[in-house]
Amino acid sequence: MPYEAPTHTVERSLRATTGAKIVAGVDEVGRGAWAGPVTVCAAITGLRRPPEGLTDSKLISPKRRTALAEELEGWVTSHALGHASHEEIDEMGMTAALRLAAVRALEGLPVRPDAVILDGKHDYLGTPWRVRTVIKGDQSCVAVAAASVIAKVRRDKMMAELGIDHADFGFAANAGYPSPVHRAALAERGPTPYHRLTWAYLDALPQWRHLKKARSWADGNVPEIEGQLGFEF
C-alpha cells in the first residue's frame, strides 16, 4: 500500500523551539506480546535523507524489513537497544518496564540526546529526559521509523532463538504475540519459561491458572512520569 514517507519535521521543530542539537527517535516492540521481553530502540539520524521505503516496521514485509534493518544499522548516526525481561514486566508492570528498557537504550548511545521523540501518545520515559510524544511517530518521523524497524527485527530474532526449544508455540512466526498456534500450545502445554505470568490470558486457562502471579504493582505503585514537552503535531 502507498504511504507517506517520514520526515524530519518534528526534529527540526524541536531544534528550533528547544535548542536541542542531538535528537533521538525512540520506539518499542513487544508491549502486547504474551511472552518475551519488551524491546526499545533509540536511534539518532541527523537530518540526512533516509533509505528508500523507510516507514513503520509493521507496514513492511518481513523480508524487506530484515534487509532494511541491516541497511539502517549502517546508515544511522548511532543506535542502541534496551530490553526489559518478562520477569521485569511481571515485577514492575508494563509502564515501568518500558521506561527501564528505554533508559537502557538511551544510556547505551555514545552521546546523550538533548531531546527524545517518543512514538505514541503517552510519555512513559519522563524526567530527566526531554520528551515529545508523536502519535504514529513511527510513520511520520525518520528517527522513530528507523528505531521501529531495528527494534522489530532484533526482537523477532531474539524470540525465534528463545522458541527453538518450544517449537509448538511458533515464536519464530508470532514473536510471542497471541496467534492461533500460540494459543493452542498454551492451552495444551501451559506457559514456557518466557511467558509473562501476571497477564490476564491465564484467566482463560483453568488448568494453568494456578501459575498466575499476583501483580505487586497493581496498587498504583508505579513511578510518576514527568517531563513531557507540551507540543502537539
Side-chain angles (χ1 to χ4, degrees), residues 87-229:
E87 295 101 336
E88 289 170 325
I89 293 169
D90 281 339
E91 178 183 349
M92 62 182 63
M94 182 53 75
T95 298
L98 277 170
R99 186 177 197 278
L100 179 64
V103 169
R104 286 169 173 168
L106 288 164
E107 290 183 344
L109 292 170
V111 292
R112 183 182 177 91
D114 300 313
V116 174
I117 304 171
L118 188 63
D119 181 54
K121 180 179 181 180
H122 301 290
D123 175 14
Y124 56 77
L125 189 54
T127 53
W129 306 94
R130 302 171 69 186
V131 176
R132 185 175 293 182
T133 58
V134 179
I135 296 172
K136 294 188 177 179
D138 49 9
Q139 295 181 36
S140 62
C141 303
V142 170
V144 179
S148 167
V149 172
I150 295 171
K152 173 66 175 167
V153 170
R154 289 288 195 93
R155 185 180 181 279
D156 281 359
K157 183 178 179 181
M158 289 176 60
M159 291 305 299
E161 292 171 352
L162 292 179
I164 290 174
D165 294 331
H166 305 277
D168 291 351
F169 288 81
F171 286 167
N174 61 49
Y177 285 83
S179 69
V181 168
H182 187 171
R183 290 173 182 269
L186 263 175
E188 180 179 349
R189 299 182 178 275
T192 70
Y194 309 112
H195 275 85
R196 304 169 187 179
L197 298 181
T198 56
W199 284 43
Y201 69 83
L202 282 169
D203 294 336
L205 300 170
Q207 68 273 44
W208 307 111
R209 195 178 297 155
H210 65 284
L211 297 176
K212 188 175 181 181
K213 293 183 178 180
R215 293 180 171 181
S216 60
W217 41 270
D219 59 358
N221 186 26
V222 178
E224 286 189 24
I225 303 299
E226 301 175 344
Q228 171 69 35
L229 294 173

